């Protein structure tokens, strides 16, 4: 019995790094990480004016938020630096922290969608009944396959129970409503 108890404890203890390794390998349960090379990539990329890709913007919420893109579609030339804005409103009478997770359709387009700035890189805390606009700055890699003519960027914004890290009140990239 003692050996079984020690083995079960050891297995439980080993599950934490094993779980993290599996999540990193499969991409499951991972938060969006900043693409550290995206800004340099955008500065050194030539715009392919001979090609246009339609980017569709979508927003979904889990919780008491109002969340929407300010534009639904935009025609983009690969290599062109683009800024779009999403509006987020906390409809509660108390501060709430949330996080956005992006998804792409077709899924293979994700590797060619290079974000320089995005509210999805960190958690966002909004005061009671506060509304903010957040920019998403990106560039499409000109090496994207020629058969990809439309990309849908969809964010799901959800409330988080605890903060992963301290998020300052005047968060990077936030544009106060009305500006």
């Amino acid at each position: 019995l003692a050996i079984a108890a020690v083995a079960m404890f050891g297995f439980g203890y080993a599950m934490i790094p094993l779980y993290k390794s599996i999540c990193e390998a499969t991409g499951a349960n991972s938060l969006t990480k900043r693409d550290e090379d995206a800004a340099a990539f955008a500065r050194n990329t030539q715009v392919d004016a001979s090609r246009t890709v339609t980017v569709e913007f979508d927003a979904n919420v889990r919780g008491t938020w109002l969340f929407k893109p300010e534009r639904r579609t935009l025609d983009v030339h690969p290599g062109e630096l683009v800024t779009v804005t999403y509006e987020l409103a906390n409809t509660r009478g108390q501060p709430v922290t949330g996080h956005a997770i992006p998804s792409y359709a077709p899924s293979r387009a994700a590797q060619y969608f290079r974000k320089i700035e995005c509210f999805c890189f960190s958690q966002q805390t909004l005061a009671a009944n506060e509304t903010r606009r957040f920019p998403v700055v990106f560039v499409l890699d000109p090496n994207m396959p020629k058969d990809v003519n439309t990309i849908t960027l969809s964010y799901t914004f959800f409330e988080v129970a605890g903060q992963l890290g301290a998020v300052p009140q005047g968060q990077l990239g936030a544009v106060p409503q009305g500006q």
Side-chain angles (χ1 to χ4, degrees):
L1 274 162
I3 292 172
V6 169
M8 289 186 338
F9 176 76
F11 181 73
Y13 189 76
M15 286 302 296
I16 296 169
L18 182 61
Y19 177 77
K20 287 180 181 178
S21 298
I22 291 171
C23 287
E24 286 177 11
T26 63
N29 198 28
S30 63
L31 298 176
T32 304
K33 294 181 181 158
R34 183 177 303 276
D35 183 352
E36 300 297 336
D37 300 326
F41 175 82
R43 282 191 299 274
N44 296 318
T45 299
Q46 297 296 317
V47 175
D48 182 358
S50 68
R51 182 171 174 210
T52 301
V53 177
T54 300
V55 181
E56 300 171 338
F57 303 100
D58 181 45
N60 305 288
V61 291
R62 300 290 181 259
T64 57
W65 305 91
L66 295 177
F67 181 47
K68 65 181 181 176
E70 290 190 346
R71 293 186 69 138
R72 293 287 177 195
T73 64
L74 185 63
D75 289 333
V76 176
H77 297 294
E80 175 183 12
L81 188 63
V82 179
T83 301
V84 295
T85 306
Y86 277 76
E87 183 176 274
L88 177 65
N90 174 10
T91 60
R92 281 195 188 167
Q94 64 187 34
V96 181
T97 299
H99 198 92
I101 301 295
S103 61
Y104 305 87
S107 59
R108 67 186 175 135
Q111 64 186 336
Y112 302 102
F113 206 100
R114 308 284 303 265
K115 290 186 197 152
I116 293 141
E117 183 177 338
C118 183
F119 57 93
C120 63
F121 294 153
S122 62
Q123 294 180 354
Q124 306 300 328
T125 301
L126 272 68
N129 301 309
E130 179 182 10
T131 299
R132 277 201 229 148
R133 294 178 12 230
F134 293 95
V136 177
V137 181
F138 67 92
V139 63
L140 297 178
D141 189 332
N143 295 323
M144 183 170 49
K146 301 288 185 201
D147 64 334
V148 177
N149 300 316
T150 303
I151 299 173
T152 301
L153 171 61
S154 180
Y155 286 102
T156 300
F157 201 91
F158 60 94
E159 183 177 341
V160 293
Q163 293 182 329
L164 293 177
V167 180
Q169 187 63 23
Q171 294 148 5
L172 176 68
V175 179
Q177 182 64 20
Q179 290 191 6

